[in-house]
Amino acid sequence: MKIGIISGSVREQNNATAVSEWVHNFATQRNDEGVDYELVHLSDYELPLLGARIPEKVKEKTMSTIKNWSEKMASFDGYVFITPEYNHAIGGALKNALDYLKPEVANKAAAMVGYGGLGGTRAHANMRLILGGLGVATVPRSTNFSLMTDFENMSIFKPNAYNEVNANGMLDDLVLWSQAFQTIR
């Protein structure tokens, strides 16, 4: 089974990179039998705004990028979305990237790891609505990192040890649900 850990920020010098690497390392060290975790950076895909006109000179490259994104997301049995919170919701780039998907992610499970002033909880609520519309089941447990307590100067990631308990429970749920959803695809 393959689980994609999707780093959902495209900002330069973002906090998502450190959080995503922590989640990937933590998940991999669990040694879940038969489960491979892969880290995917949304910033590696230059997706245009869905529906925007694509200039002819970059159309071929852009269509290839969209295809690569679609195929990468289809290759997973489940997902951990790293969701930064911007203005009480997920970032626009992550929302746009999800808008390119439907059959690739349907009937799969997802977990959420957030960070922000309140640990990304409002972004998680937003993500649950979006993923529900795509046919993705979201596990009830999540992991939330506060910019106030899990980061130094709101930029240097120093997670508190108690986050490991949340991450373990969240990943337990995700693996179980992803296995169950394999039976209906």
PDB file of all heavy atoms in Angstrom, residues 38-72:
ATOM      1  N   GLU A  38       5.467   8.126   0.763  1.00  0.00           N
ATOM      2  CA  GLU A  38       6.213   8.947  -0.190  1.00  0.00           C
ATOM      3  C   GLU A  38       5.860  10.408   0.016  1.00  0.00           C
ATOM      4  O   GLU A  38       4.682  10.777   0.069  1.00  0.00           O
ATOM      5  CB  GLU A  38       5.877   8.539  -1.625  1.00  0.00           C
ATOM      6  CG  GLU A  38       6.644   9.330  -2.673  1.00  0.00           C
ATOM      7  CD  GLU A  38       6.301   8.936  -4.098  1.00  0.00           C
ATOM      8  OE1 GLU A  38       5.788   7.817  -4.318  1.00  0.00           O
ATOM      9  OE2 GLU A  38       6.544   9.757  -5.001  1.00  0.00           O
ATOM     10  N   LEU A  39       6.882  11.243   0.102  1.00  0.00           N
ATOM     11  CA  LEU A  39       6.693  12.680   0.269  1.00  0.00           C
ATOM     12  C   LEU A  39       6.582  13.339  -1.105  1.00  0.00           C
ATOM     13  O   LEU A  39       7.436  13.135  -1.976  1.00  0.00           O
ATOM     14  CB  LEU A  39       7.869  13.269   1.052  1.00  0.00           C
ATOM     15  CG  LEU A  39       7.855  14.759   1.343  1.00  0.00           C
ATOM     16  CD1 LEU A  39       6.578  15.191   2.044  1.00  0.00           C
ATOM     17  CD2 LEU A  39       9.070  15.132   2.190  1.00  0.00           C
ATOM     18  N   VAL A  40       5.510  14.106  -1.296  1.00  0.00           N
ATOM     19  CA  VAL A  40       5.261  14.815  -2.551  1.00  0.00           C
ATOM     20  C   VAL A  40       5.120  16.301  -2.229  1.00  0.00           C
ATOM     21  O   VAL A  40       4.284  16.679  -1.413  1.00  0.00           O
ATOM     22  CB  VAL A  40       3.974  14.305  -3.234  1.00  0.00           C
ATOM     23  CG1 VAL A  40       3.676  15.116  -4.490  1.00  0.00           C
ATOM     24  CG2 VAL A  40       4.078  12.820  -3.552  1.00  0.00           C
ATOM     25  N   HIS A  41       5.927  17.115  -2.873  1.00  0.00           N
ATOM     26  CA  HIS A  41       5.863  18.564  -2.673  1.00  0.00           C
ATOM     27  C   HIS A  41       5.004  19.187  -3.780  1.00  0.00           C
ATOM     28  O   HIS A  41       5.363  19.088  -4.958  1.00  0.00           O
ATOM     29  CB  HIS A  41       7.258  19.187  -2.686  1.00  0.00           C
ATOM     30  CG  HIS A  41       8.099  18.785  -1.529  1.00  0.00           C
ATOM     31  ND1 HIS A  41       8.027  19.415  -0.307  1.00  0.00           N
ATOM     32  CD2 HIS A  41       9.011  17.795  -1.391  1.00  0.00           C
ATOM     33  CE1 HIS A  41       8.869  18.848   0.533  1.00  0.00           C
ATOM     34  NE2 HIS A  41       9.478  17.865  -0.098  1.00  0.00           N
ATOM     35  N   LEU A  42       3.920  19.804  -3.393  1.00  0.00           N
ATOM     36  CA  LEU A  42       3.067  20.494  -4.360  1.00  0.00           C
ATOM     37  C   LEU A  42       3.873  21.514  -5.160  1.00  0.00           C
ATOM     38  O   LEU A  42       3.608  21.737  -6.344  1.00  0.00           O
ATOM     39  CB  LEU A  42       1.891  21.159  -3.647  1.00  0.00           C
ATOM     40  CG  LEU A  42       0.880  21.887  -4.512  1.00  0.00           C
ATOM     41  CD1 LEU A  42       0.273  20.965  -5.564  1.00  0.00           C
ATOM     42  CD2 LEU A  42      -0.216  22.490  -3.634  1.00  0.00           C
ATOM     43  N   SER A  43       4.881  22.092  -4.545  1.00  0.00           N
ATOM     44  CA  SER A  43       5.702  23.098  -5.225  1.00  0.00           C
ATOM     45  C   SER A  43       6.482  22.527  -6.409  1.00  0.00           C
ATOM     46  O   SER A  43       6.982  23.288  -7.243  1.00  0.00           O
ATOM     47  CB  SER A  43       6.661  23.760  -4.232  1.00  0.00           C
ATOM     48  OG  SER A  43       7.512  22.788  -3.639  1.00  0.00           O
ATOM     49  N   ASP A  44       6.567  21.205  -6.522  1.00  0.00           N
ATOM     50  CA  ASP A  44       7.230  20.584  -7.666  1.00  0.00           C
ATOM     51  C   ASP A  44       6.338  20.553  -8.909  1.00  0.00           C
ATOM     52  O   ASP A  44       6.791  20.162  -9.988  1.00  0.00           O
ATOM     53  CB  ASP A  44       7.670  19.153  -7.332  1.00  0.00           C
ATOM     54  CG  ASP A  44       8.828  19.125  -6.341  1.00  0.00           C
ATOM     55  OD1 ASP A  44       9.515  20.153  -6.177  1.00  0.00           O
ATOM     56  OD2 ASP A  44       9.026  18.062  -5.718  1.00  0.00           O
ATOM     57  N   TYR A  45       5.080  20.928  -8.732  1.00  0.00           N
ATOM     58  CA  TYR A  45       4.113  20.913  -9.834  1.00  0.00           C
ATOM     59  C   TYR A  45       3.633  22.344 -10.067  1.00  0.00           C
ATOM     60  O   TYR A  45       2.984  22.921  -9.208  1.00  0.00           O
ATOM     61  CB  TYR A  45       2.919  20.009  -9.497  1.00  0.00           C
ATOM     62  CG  TYR A  45       3.316  18.578  -9.292  1.00  0.00           C
ATOM     63  CD1 TYR A  45       3.773  18.132  -8.057  1.00  0.00           C
ATOM     64  CD2 TYR A  45       3.249  17.667 -10.334  1.00  0.00           C
ATOM     65  CE1 TYR A  45       4.152  16.813  -7.864  1.00  0.00           C
ATOM     66  CE2 TYR A  45       3.623  16.350 -10.154  1.00  0.00           C
ATOM     67  CZ  TYR A  45       4.076  15.934  -8.913  1.00  0.00           C
ATOM     68  OH  TYR A  45       4.460  14.632  -8.728  1.00  0.00           O
ATOM     69  N   GLU A  46       3.948  22.893 -11.201  1.00  0.00           N
ATOM     70  CA  GLU A  46       3.527  24.255 -11.520  1.00  0.00           C
ATOM     71  C   GLU A  46       2.167  24.190 -12.212  1.00  0.00           C
ATOM     72  O   GLU A  46       2.066  24.328 -13.435  1.00  0.00           O
ATOM     73  CB  GLU A  46       4.578  24.945 -12.391  1.00  0.00           C
ATOM     74  CG  GLU A  46       5.888  25.162 -11.671  1.00  0.00           C
ATOM     75  CD  GLU A  46       6.918  25.880 -12.525  1.00  0.00           C
ATOM     76  OE1 GLU A  46       6.537  26.572 -13.487  1.00  0.00           O
ATOM     77  OE2 GLU A  46       8.107  25.734 -12.220  1.00  0.00           O
ATOM     78  N   LEU A  47       1.141  23.995 -11.409  1.00  0.00           N
ATOM     79  CA  LEU A  47      -0.211  23.864 -11.940  1.00  0.00           C
ATOM     80  C   LEU A  47      -0.824  25.239 -12.181  1.00  0.00           C
ATOM     81  O   LEU A  47      -0.814  26.086 -11.288  1.00  0.00           O
ATOM     82  CB  LEU A  47      -1.092  23.077 -10.964  1.00  0.00           C
ATOM     83  CG  LEU A  47      -0.656  21.639 -10.712  1.00  0.00           C
ATOM     84  CD1 LEU A  47      -1.387  21.065  -9.508  1.00  0.00           C
ATOM     85  CD2 LEU A  47      -0.901  20.795 -11.949  1.00  0.00           C
ATOM     86  N   PRO A  48      -1.365  25.468 -13.372  1.00  0.00           N
ATOM     87  CA  PRO A  48      -2.039  26.748 -13.609  1.00  0.00           C
ATOM     88  C   PRO A  48      -3.375  26.772 -12.875  1.00  0.00           C
ATOM     89  O   PRO A  48      -3.875  25.726 -12.448  1.00  0.00           O
ATOM     90  CB  PRO A  48      -2.249  26.738 -15.125  1.00  0.00           C
ATOM     91  CG  PRO A  48      -2.370  25.300 -15.470  1.00  0.00           C
ATOM     92  CD  PRO A  48      -1.436  24.577 -14.525  1.00  0.00           C
ATOM     93  N   LEU A  49      -3.939  27.944 -12.728  1.00  0.00           N
ATOM     94  CA  LEU A  49      -5.282  28.027 -12.166  1.00  0.00           C
ATOM     95  C   LEU A  49      -6.232  27.249 -13.057  1.00  0.00           C
ATOM     96  O   LEU A  49      -6.224  27.406 -14.286  1.00  0.00           O
ATOM     97  CB  LEU A  49      -5.742  29.479 -12.054  1.00  0.00           C
ATOM     98  CG  LEU A  49      -5.101  30.303 -10.953  1.00  0.00           C
ATOM     99  CD1 LEU A  49      -5.560  31.753 -11.039  1.00  0.00           C
ATOM    100  CD2 LEU A  49      -5.416  29.716  -9.590  1.00  0.00           C
ATOM    101  N   LEU A  50      -7.013  26.395 -12.442  1.00  0.00           N
ATOM    102  CA  LEU A  50      -7.949  25.574 -13.207  1.00  0.00           C
ATOM    103  C   LEU A  50      -8.878  26.472 -14.014  1.00  0.00           C
ATOM    104  O   LEU A  50      -9.482  27.403 -13.486  1.00  0.00           O
ATOM    105  CB  LEU A  50      -8.764  24.689 -12.262  1.00  0.00           C
ATOM    106  CG  LEU A  50      -9.724  23.726 -12.937  1.00  0.00           C
ATOM    107  CD1 LEU A  50      -8.954  22.648 -13.699  1.00  0.00           C
ATOM    108  CD2 LEU A  50     -10.645  23.089 -11.913  1.00  0.00           C
ATOM    109  N   GLY A  51      -8.943  26.234 -15.303  1.00  0.00           N
ATOM    110  CA  GLY A  51      -9.813  27.009 -16.183  1.00  0.00           C
ATOM    111  C   GLY A  51      -9.160  28.218 -16.806  1.00  0.00           C
ATOM    112  O   GLY A  51      -9.735  28.837 -17.708  1.00  0.00           O
ATOM    113  N   ALA A  52      -7.964  28.584 -16.344  1.00  0.00           N
ATOM    114  CA  ALA A  52      -7.273  29.751 -16.915  1.00  0.00           C
ATOM    115  C   ALA A  52      -6.718  29.405 -18.295  1.00  0.00           C
ATOM    116  O   ALA A  52      -6.395  28.251 -18.581  1.00  0.00           O
ATOM    117  CB  ALA A  52      -6.138  30.195 -15.994  1.00  0.00           C
ATOM    118  N   ARG A  53      -6.633  30.403 -19.128  1.00  0.00           N
ATOM    119  CA  ARG A  53      -6.072  30.213 -20.468  1.00  0.00           C
ATOM    120  C   ARG A  53      -4.583  29.902 -20.336  1.00  0.00           C
ATOM    121  O   ARG A  53      -3.852  30.551 -19.586  1.00  0.00           O
ATOM    122  CB  ARG A  53      -6.263  31.482 -21.300  1.00  0.00           C
ATOM    123  CG  ARG A  53      -5.888  31.317 -22.764  1.00  0.00           C
ATOM    124  CD  ARG A  53      -6.050  32.602 -23.554  1.00  0.00           C
ATOM    125  NE  ARG A  53      -4.980  33.571 -23.303  1.00  0.00           N
ATOM    126  CZ  ARG A  53      -3.733  33.454 -23.732  1.00  0.00           C
ATOM    127  NH1 ARG A  53      -3.353  32.396 -24.395  1.00  0.00           N
ATOM    128  NH2 ARG A  53      -2.840  34.394 -23.480  1.00  0.00           N
ATOM    129  N   ILE A  54      -4.147  28.884 -21.061  1.00  0.00           N
ATOM    130  CA  ILE A  54      -2.737  28.488 -21.043  1.00  0.00           C
ATOM    131  C   ILE A  54      -2.100  28.979 -22.337  1.00  0.00           C
ATOM    132  O   ILE A  54      -2.545  28.605 -23.422  1.00  0.00           O
ATOM    133  CB  ILE A  54      -2.593  26.956 -20.925  1.00  0.00           C
ATOM    134  CG1 ILE A  54      -3.264  26.470 -19.634  1.00  0.00           C
ATOM    135  CG2 ILE A  54      -1.127  26.542 -20.958  1.00  0.00           C
ATOM    136  CD1 ILE A  54      -3.397  24.964 -19.547  1.00  0.00           C
ATOM    137  N   PRO A  55      -1.079  29.829 -22.240  1.00  0.00           N
ATOM    138  CA  PRO A  55      -0.421  30.324 -23.452  1.00  0.00           C
ATOM    139  C   PRO A  55       0.118  29.162 -24.291  1.00  0.00           C
ATOM    140  O   PRO A  55       0.633  28.170 -23.758  1.00  0.00           O
ATOM    141  CB  PRO A  55       0.725  31.182 -22.917  1.00  0.00           C
ATOM    142  CG  PRO A  55       0.310  31.552 -21.525  1.00  0.00           C
ATOM    143  CD  PRO A  55      -0.498  30.394 -21.022  1.00  0.00           C
ATOM    144  N   GLU A  56      -0.020  29.287 -25.584  1.00  0.00           N
ATOM    145  CA  GLU A  56       0.370  28.220 -26.517  1.00  0.00           C
ATOM    146  C   GLU A  56       1.819  27.789 -26.332  1.00  0.00           C
ATOM    147  O   GLU A  56       2.135  26.610 -26.425  1.00  0.00           O
ATOM    148  CB  GLU A  56       0.117  28.701 -27.955  1.00  0.00           C
ATOM    149  CG  GLU A  56      -0.114  27.600 -28.944  1.00  0.00           C
ATOM    150  CD  GLU A  56      -1.269  26.679 -28.597  1.00  0.00           C
ATOM    151  OE1 GLU A  56      -2.357  27.141 -28.233  1.00  0.00           O
ATOM    152  OE2 GLU A  56      -1.059  25.456 -28.706  1.00  0.00           O
ATOM    153  N   LYS A  57       2.712  28.750 -26.045  1.00  0.00           N
ATOM    154  CA  LYS A  57       4.141  28.429 -25.956  1.00  0.00           C
ATOM    155  C   LYS A  57       4.478  27.520 -24.767  1.00  0.00           C
ATOM    156  O   LYS A  57       5.523  26.874 -24.759  1.00  0.00           O
ATOM    157  CB  LYS A  57       4.986  29.699 -25.912  1.00  0.00           C
ATOM    158  CG  LYS A  57       4.757  30.568 -24.691  1.00  0.00           C
ATOM    159  CD  LYS A  57       5.570  31.844 -24.766  1.00  0.00           C
ATOM    160  CE  LYS A  57       5.256  32.711 -23.562  1.00  0.00           C
ATOM    161  NZ  LYS A  57       5.902  33.996 -23.635  1.00  0.00           N
ATOM    162  N   VAL A  58       3.605  27.442 -23.757  1.00  0.00           N
ATOM    163  CA  VAL A  58       3.857  26.564 -22.603  1.00  0.00           C
ATOM    164  C   VAL A  58       2.778  25.486 -22.447  1.00  0.00           C
ATOM    165  O   VAL A  58       2.775  24.754 -21.463  1.00  0.00           O
ATOM    166  CB  VAL A  58       3.973  27.374 -21.288  1.00  0.00           C
ATOM    167  CG1 VAL A  58       5.183  28.288 -21.331  1.00  0.00           C
ATOM    168  CG2 VAL A  58       2.702  28.133 -20.989  1.00  0.00           C
ATOM    169  N   LYS A  59       1.910  25.387 -23.418  1.00  0.00           N
ATOM    170  CA  LYS A  59       0.775  24.467 -23.311  1.00  0.00           C
ATOM    171  C   LYS A  59       1.225  23.009 -23.155  1.00  0.00           C
ATOM    172  O   LYS A  59       0.722  22.286 -22.293  1.00  0.00           O
ATOM    173  CB  LYS A  59      -0.153  24.603 -24.508  1.00  0.00           C
ATOM    174  CG  LYS A  59      -1.476  23.901 -24.325  1.00  0.00           C
ATOM    175  CD  LYS A  59      -2.450  24.271 -25.415  1.00  0.00           C
ATOM    176  CE  LYS A  59      -3.782  24.507 -24.739  1.00  0.00           C
ATOM    177  NZ  LYS A  59      -4.712  25.266 -25.512  1.00  0.00           N
ATOM    178  N   GLU A  60       2.172  22.578 -23.961  1.00  0.00           N
ATOM    179  CA  GLU A  60       2.616  21.180 -23.905  1.00  0.00           C
ATOM    180  C   GLU A  60       3.226  20.858 -22.540  1.00  0.00           C
ATOM    181  O   GLU A  60       2.915  19.836 -21.927  1.00  0.00           O
ATOM    182  CB  GLU A  60       3.616  20.889 -25.022  1.00  0.00           C
ATOM    183  CG  GLU A  60       4.001  19.432 -25.115  1.00  0.00           C
ATOM    184  CD  GLU A  60       4.901  19.145 -26.301  1.00  0.00           C
ATOM    185  OE1 GLU A  60       4.750  19.788 -27.363  1.00  0.00           O
ATOM    186  OE2 GLU A  60       5.764  18.265 -26.153  1.00  0.00           O
ATOM    187  N   LYS A  61       4.094  21.741 -22.059  1.00  0.00           N
ATOM    188  CA  LYS A  61       4.732  21.531 -20.750  1.00  0.00           C
ATOM    189  C   LYS A  61       3.682  21.547 -19.643  1.00  0.00           C
ATOM    190  O   LYS A  61       3.706  20.723 -18.723  1.00  0.00           O
ATOM    191  CB  LYS A  61       5.791  22.601 -20.494  1.00  0.00           C
ATOM    192  CG  LYS A  61       6.477  22.436 -19.163  1.00  0.00           C
ATOM    193  CD  LYS A  61       7.492  23.530 -18.896  1.00  0.00           C
ATOM    194  CE  LYS A  61       8.166  23.265 -17.571  1.00  0.00           C
ATOM    195  NZ  LYS A  61       8.318  24.399 -16.752  1.00  0.00           N
ATOM    196  N   THR A  62       2.743  22.469 -19.715  1.00  0.00           N
ATOM    197  CA  THR A  62       1.700  22.590 -18.695  1.00  0.00           C
ATOM    198  C   THR A  62       0.810  21.352 -18.687  1.00  0.00           C
ATOM    199  O   THR A  62       0.488  20.823 -17.615  1.00  0.00           O
ATOM    200  CB  THR A  62       0.864  23.863 -18.932  1.00  0.00           C
ATOM    201  OG1 THR A  62       1.738  24.997 -18.864  1.00  0.00           O
ATOM    202  CG2 THR A  62      -0.225  23.998 -17.886  1.00  0.00           C
ATOM    203  N   MET A  63       0.426  20.871 -19.842  1.00  0.00           N
ATOM    204  CA  MET A  63      -0.422  19.674 -19.915  1.00  0.00           C
ATOM    205  C   MET A  63       0.319  18.461 -19.364  1.00  0.00           C
ATOM    206  O   MET A  63      -0.273  17.600 -18.714  1.00  0.00           O
ATOM    207  CB  MET A  63      -0.895  19.433 -21.350  1.00  0.00           C
ATOM    208  CG  MET A  63      -1.785  20.555 -21.901  1.00  0.00           C
ATOM    209  SD  MET A  63      -3.148  21.044 -20.815  1.00  0.00           S
ATOM    210  CE  MET A  63      -4.203  19.623 -20.956  1.00  0.00           C
ATOM    211  N   SER A  64       1.614  18.404 -19.586  1.00  0.00           N
ATOM    212  CA  SER A  64       2.435  17.323 -19.048  1.00  0.00           C
ATOM    213  C   SER A  64       2.477  17.394 -17.521  1.00  0.00           C
ATOM    214  O   SER A  64       2.390  16.370 -16.834  1.00  0.00           O
ATOM    215  CB  SER A  64       3.846  17.401 -19.626  1.00  0.00           C
ATOM    216  OG  SER A  64       4.664  16.422 -19.051  1.00  0.00           O
ATOM    217  N   THR A  65       2.594  18.597 -16.981  1.00  0.00           N
ATOM    218  CA  THR A  65       2.604  18.786 -15.531  1.00  0.00           C
ATOM    219  C   THR A  65       1.280  18.347 -14.918  1.00  0.00           C
ATOM    220  O   THR A  65       1.259  17.663 -13.890  1.00  0.00           O
ATOM    221  CB  THR A  65       2.885  20.268 -15.178  1.00  0.00           C
ATOM    222  OG1 THR A  65       4.178  20.616 -15.679  1.00  0.00           O
ATOM    223  CG2 THR A  65       2.833  20.512 -13.690  1.00  0.00           C
ATOM    224  N   ILE A  66       0.180  18.730 -15.536  1.00  0.00           N
ATOM    225  CA  ILE A  66      -1.142  18.335 -15.049  1.00  0.00           C
ATOM    226  C   ILE A  66      -1.275  16.815 -15.068  1.00  0.00           C
ATOM    227  O   ILE A  66      -1.750  16.204 -14.107  1.00  0.00           O
ATOM    228  CB  ILE A  66      -2.254  19.010 -15.877  1.00  0.00           C
ATOM    229  CG1 ILE A  66      -2.241  20.523 -15.641  1.00  0.00           C
ATOM    230  CG2 ILE A  66      -3.626  18.416 -15.546  1.00  0.00           C
ATOM    231  CD1 ILE A  66      -3.086  21.319 -16.623  1.00  0.00           C
ATOM    232  N   LYS A  67      -0.821  16.194 -16.140  1.00  0.00           N
ATOM    233  CA  LYS A  67      -0.873  14.728 -16.261  1.00  0.00           C
ATOM    234  C   LYS A  67      -0.016  14.069 -15.186  1.00  0.00           C
ATOM    235  O   LYS A  67      -0.435  13.093 -14.554  1.00  0.00           O
ATOM    236  CB  LYS A  67      -0.403  14.315 -17.663  1.00  0.00           C
ATOM    237  CG  LYS A  67      -0.447  12.829 -17.929  1.00  0.00           C
ATOM    238  CD  LYS A  67      -0.009  12.545 -19.373  1.00  0.00           C
ATOM    239  CE  LYS A  67      -0.127  11.088 -19.728  1.00  0.00           C
ATOM    240  NZ  LYS A  67       0.999  10.289 -19.316  1.00  0.00           N
ATOM    241  N   ASN A  68       1.178  14.601 -14.956  1.00  0.00           N
ATOM    242  CA  ASN A  68       2.069  14.047 -13.932  1.00  0.00           C
ATOM    243  C   ASN A  68       1.441  14.147 -12.542  1.00  0.00           C
ATOM    244  O   ASN A  68       1.546  13.210 -11.740  1.00  0.00           O
ATOM    245  CB  ASN A  68       3.426  14.746 -13.953  1.00  0.00           C
ATOM    246  CG  ASN A  68       4.231  14.418 -15.189  1.00  0.00           C
ATOM    247  OD1 ASN A  68       3.969  13.440 -15.883  1.00  0.00           O
ATOM    248  ND2 ASN A  68       5.213  15.257 -15.489  1.00  0.00           N
ATOM    249  N   TRP A  69       0.808  15.272 -12.248  1.00  0.00           N
ATOM    250  CA  TRP A  69       0.122  15.466 -10.967  1.00  0.00           C
ATOM    251  C   TRP A  69      -1.001  14.435 -10.815  1.00  0.00           C
ATOM    252  O   TRP A  69      -1.118  13.774  -9.781  1.00  0.00           O
ATOM    253  CB  TRP A  69      -0.412  16.888 -10.864  1.00  0.00           C
ATOM    254  CG  TRP A  69      -1.329  17.146  -9.711  1.00  0.00           C
ATOM    255  CD1 TRP A  69      -2.656  17.431  -9.768  1.00  0.00           C
ATOM    256  CD2 TRP A  69      -0.980  17.155  -8.316  1.00  0.00           C
ATOM    257  NE1 TRP A  69      -3.160  17.614  -8.505  1.00  0.00           N
ATOM    258  CE2 TRP A  69      -2.155  17.455  -7.590  1.00  0.00           C
ATOM    259  CE3 TRP A  69       0.189  16.939  -7.606  1.00  0.00           C
ATOM    260  CZ2 TRP A  69      -2.186  17.530  -6.204  1.00  0.00           C
ATOM    261  CZ3 TRP A  69       0.167  17.010  -6.223  1.00  0.00           C
ATOM    262  CH2 TRP A  69      -1.011  17.306  -5.530  1.00  0.00           C
ATOM    263  N   SER A  70      -1.791  14.298 -11.836  1.00  0.00           N
ATOM    264  CA  SER A  70      -2.902  13.350 -11.817  1.00  0.00           C
ATOM    265  C   SER A  70      -2.405  11.921 -11.594  1.00  0.00           C
ATOM    266  O   SER A  70      -2.945  11.184 -10.752  1.00  0.00           O
ATOM    267  CB  SER A  70      -3.675  13.448 -13.131  1.00  0.00           C
ATOM    268  OG  SER A  70      -4.651  12.438 -13.206  1.00  0.00           O
ATOM    269  N   GLU A  71      -1.395  11.527 -12.332  1.00  0.00           N
ATOM    270  CA  GLU A  71      -0.856  10.168 -12.207  1.00  0.00           C
ATOM    271  C   GLU A  71      -0.221   9.933 -10.846  1.00  0.00           C
ATOM    272  O   GLU A  71      -0.362   8.847 -10.271  1.00  0.00           O
ATOM    273  CB  GLU A  71       0.154   9.903 -13.324  1.00  0.00           C
ATOM    274  CG  GLU A  71      -0.496   9.755 -14.683  1.00  0.00           C
ATOM    275  CD  GLU A  71       0.498   9.638 -15.829  1.00  0.00           C
ATOM    276  OE1 GLU A  71       1.724   9.836 -15.612  1.00  0.00           O
ATOM    277  OE2 GLU A  71       0.042   9.359 -16.968  1.00  0.00           O
ATOM    278  N   LYS A  72       0.484  10.917 -10.332  1.00  0.00           N
ATOM    279  CA  LYS A  72       1.107  10.778  -9.011  1.00  0.00           C
ATOM    280  C   LYS A  72       0.035  10.566  -7.946  1.00  0.00           C
ATOM    281  O   LYS A  72       0.132   9.660  -7.110  1.00  0.00           O
ATOM    282  CB  LYS A  72       1.966  12.008  -8.691  1.00  0.00           C
ATOM    283  CG  LYS A  72       2.604  12.003  -7.307  1.00  0.00           C
ATOM    284  CD  LYS A  72       3.432  10.778  -7.023  1.00  0.00           C
ATOM    285  CE  LYS A  72       4.720  10.753  -7.756  1.00  0.00           C
ATOM    286  NZ  LYS A  72       5.520   9.532  -7.442  1.00  0.00           N
TER     287      LYS A  72
END
